[in-house]
Amino acid sequence: VAVRPSVLETRPAAMAPRVNGFRDADGRLSMNAHQWLGMGAYASLVLGFYLLQAPAVEDSTTRLALEICYGAIALVAACAFVKAAAVDPADDDDDDDDEAGLFCQLCDRNVHAGSKHCRACDKCVAHFDHHCKWLNNCVGARNYHSFFALVAVVLWQVCGQMCAGAWLLAWVTRNPADADALLDDDDRFPSHLTRLEFQAALAAYLLLCVCLAYLV
């Protein structure tokens, strides 16, 4: 926590704060396992839409419109993730006065009121909210809006796709003949999945959506 000088010990000289969620103190690429796992899960979510859900739409014009809209939404989510992780959220108060009444002895400088020292990033963060392991970065004043946009868009995506996937799985189960005809359409499902394989893929996809909804 950003406090008065007498409360916290000084920081060891060997330690240095991270730059952001992608770069370490030396500016080298440094991403954690949660970031790679999150990106992989989101990529699977997007691929599932284009491979399993979108081809089930019969009208080609409607299907193309959905694919374009979904691509735009996925791009917004990706940009929000990059912005939230790439921003350096550090408190940049370099003033010599102590008008705010806060001094971080770990950072050895004045900080604004509302700042807090994050031990994971080893820096004081302006209006600290929390350290997000999925961003590998702190969430604060500089990236809170992009973080909120990321969470809102992904949650909306996951919930929408979970509902659509559940409906599609129920439809395939109730209408086996129609489902077989759908899967035999080379233009929409060139992979020639059997109905059981398609049901298994949808079930796995729904499980992914549930896990992502829980994490978001």
Side-chain angles (χ1 to χ4, degrees):
V1 179
V3 296
R4 300 180 187 279
S6 59
V7 178
L8 294 176
E9 71 279 7
T10 57
R11 177 175 56 191
M15 296 179 65
R18 293 183 56 85
V19 176
N20 53 40
F22 297 127
R23 302 288 177 180
D24 62 14
D26 297 322
R28 296 172 299 192
L29 181 66
S30 175
M31 298 174 64
N32 64 15
H34 286 91
Q35 285 175 296
W36 291 111
L37 179 62
M39 289 188 294
Y42 187 74
S44 299
L45 183 76
V46 173
L47 285 175
F49 172 81
Y50 285 105
L51 297 178
L52 299 175
Q53 293 183 319
V57 179
E58 184 175 2
D59 183 71
S60 59
T61 302
T62 303
R63 184 167 64 250
L64 178 61
L66 285 174
E67 290 172 345
I68 293 174
C69 290
Y70 187 88
I73 293 170
L75 181 61
V76 169
C79 291
F81 169 77
V82 171
K83 183 177 180 181
V87 164
D88 182 357
D91 187 318
D92 61 353
D93 188 1
D94 294 324
D95 297 336
D96 294 331
D97 61 78
D98 57 353
E99 183 179 0
L102 292 177
F103 179 89
C104 180
Q105 196 161 354
L106 292 174
C107 294
D108 192 28
R109 63 186 182 85
N110 296 326
V111 294
H112 292 102
S115 294
K116 180 180 178 180
H117 191 91
C118 174
R119 292 186 178 274
C121 293
D122 197 27
K123 66 176 72 173
C124 276
V125 176
H127 295 286
F128 179 89
D129 186 85
H130 71 286
H131 180 84
C132 179
K133 57 189 176 183
W134 301 101
L135 295 176
N136 197 23
N137 200 14
C138 287
V139 176
R142 292 186 173 183
N143 60 353
Y144 184 79
H145 290 92
S146 54
F147 171 78
F148 181 79
L150 172 64
V151 171
V153 170
V154 173
L155 184 59
W156 181 83
Q157 274 184 282
V158 169
C159 291
Q161 290 182 245
M162 189 159 49
C163 293
W167 180 90
L168 183 58
L169 181 59
W171 179 85
V172 170
T173 304
R174 292 195 309 265
N175 304 277
D178 292 337
D180 289 337
L182 171 67
L183 294 171
D184 287 338
D185 189 334
D186 291 339
D187 293 332
R188 294 156 70 183
F189 287 97
S191 56
H192 298 290
L193 290 174
T194 66
R195 178 161 39 88
L196 289 178
E197 290 172 339
F198 187 67
Q199 288 173 305
L202 281 174
Y205 187 67
L206 286 174
L207 179 60
L208 171 64
C209 289
V210 170
C211 293
L212 283 174
Y214 172 77
L215 293 174
V216 173

